[in-house]
Amino acid sequence: MKLSIFLGSVLLGQSSAHYLFGRLILKGKWTKTWEYVREVSPQQDSDYGYETVSPLTEPNSVDIRCGRNASTLQSPVKTATIHAGDVVGFAAGEPMLPGDLKPWMYHPGFASAWLSKAPTDDLDSYTGEGDWFKILSVTGRTEQSLDWSLPEHAKYYDKIKAVWGTYRLDSYNFTIPKTTPPGKYLLRFEHIFPNMEDAQIYPNCAHVEIVNTDAEVGTPGPLVKIPGVYTRGQKDMYFAYYDQKFNISTFVPPKPEVWSG
């Protein structure tokens, strides 16, 4: 009986709390939703709010690059100029589902950030079909994770979910590797909610131009294609996060490894 009640609450949570990352963080300031991030679109003839924030569950879909229909630019966005070594971030943005208190990473799971360099200066026409490399991976708790001892957070504490570093966060910041080659890039942020049947993938992409005037420029890698980086059923995505045998300290997220410059 307890198990059935728990599973019911899990399924309810999956259907009532979805999110996206439509706001780029520059110099510690949150930009407007879709100002620098490619806007995603709802499925045709579907409700805008739900279908815009609803997760992607097909690992072979081109939509897992930058969000639903966002491999092709839907509306104009700005390109942020940042320097290699700068701290940037992504924040959850609107729309929200009815009943959600604020945009945040409601589900437990792991996050990552990626870069893909456009072959020309025309970033607007780049669909992300080129190579991608990972520059961030977040699994367990970090210095940015919520402090569950604070009253405003304690009411949301869940001992199974709270081991994940991004749980209930509304944003995450990270550093562009100092030896990143200069150029125009799609900067991608992704959050994955592991699930035995359909792991939920939440990706979004911003337009950035990376400036690097240092003499030392690295060679990013490993390089992967998106889609192509994930396979349905792989054990590091398709699993029960609530399994009592799960140990966050030994969990290794899906490849590739992070390139730190």
Side-chain angles (χ1 to χ4, degrees), residues 27-91:
K27 297 181 179 179
K29 296 181 179 180
W30 290 24
T31 60
K32 296 178 181 179
T33 301
W34 310 134
E35 185 176 0
Y36 292 93
V37 178
R38 288 188 175 187
E39 185 171 3
V40 301
S41 62
Q43 293 179 350
Q44 190 173 5
D45 300 324
S46 298
D47 175 75
Y48 176 78
Y50 176 78
E51 285 302 337
T52 301
V53 300
S54 62
L56 302 169
T57 58
E58 178 47 65
N60 292 322
S61 170
V62 69
D63 285 342
I64 73 164
R65 281 182 192 157
C66 293
R68 186 173 287 103
N69 298 325
S71 289
T72 301
L73 190 66
Q74 302 295 315
S75 58
V77 297
K78 298 177 182 177
T79 298
T81 299
I82 56 181
H83 289 78
D86 280 355
V87 174
V88 298
F90 278 80

Side-chain angles (χ1 to χ4, degrees), residues 21 64 110-114 188-192 201-203 230:
F21 305 100
I64 73 164
F110 47 94
S112 55
W114 310 66
R188 175 178 183 268
F189 189 79
E190 170 189 81
H191 193 252
I192 293 180
I201 306 170
Y202 297 88
Y230 303 133

Side-chain angles (χ1 to χ4, degrees), residues 67-229:
R68 186 173 287 103
N69 298 325
S71 289
T72 301
L73 190 66
Q74 302 295 315
S75 58
V77 297
K78 298 177 182 177
T79 298
T81 299
I82 56 181
H83 289 78
D86 280 355
V87 174
V88 298
F90 278 80
E94 300 76 12
M96 296 187 300
L97 292 179
D100 283 352
L101 299 177
K102 58 179 287 188
W104 52 18
M105 287 175 266
Y106 176 86
H107 292 305
F110 47 94
S112 55
W114 310 66
L115 283 167
S116 181
K117 189 176 183 180
T120 70
D121 282 341
D122 186 10
L123 189 56
D124 286 353
S125 66
Y126 182 48
T127 63
E129 74 277 7
D131 294 324
W132 292 84
F133 56 98
K134 187 188 292 187
I135 61 171
L136 169 77
S137 179
V138 185
T139 54
R141 290 180 56 77
T142 75
E143 69 281 354
Q144 296 184 51
S145 300
L146 291 185
D147 182 350
W148 297 110
S149 67
L150 298 177
E152 61 267 32
H153 298 152
K155 58 185 176 181
Y156 300 116
Y157 179 75
D158 181 311
K159 68 177 181 179
I160 294 177
K161 299 177 180 179
V163 299
W164 296 93
T166 57
Y167 179 55
R168 288 278 181 175
L169 289 179
D170 58 10
S171 61
Y172 206 87
N173 295 289
F174 53 92
T175 301
I176 302 296
K178 192 170 179 59
T179 60
T180 302
K184 292 187 176 181
Y185 288 83
L186 290 178
L187 173 61
R188 175 178 183 268
F189 189 79
E190 170 189 81
H191 193 252
I192 293 180
F193 172 38
N195 189 291
M196 292 187 69
E197 296 299 327
D198 275 321
Q200 297 183 5
I201 306 170
Y202 297 88
N204 289 102
C205 294
H207 284 205
V208 300
E209 181 173 9
I210 296 177
V211 177
N212 192 341
T213 57
D214 291 343
E216 183 181 359
V217 173
T219 302
L223 303 176
V224 299
K225 300 290 187 183
I226 301 175
V229 68

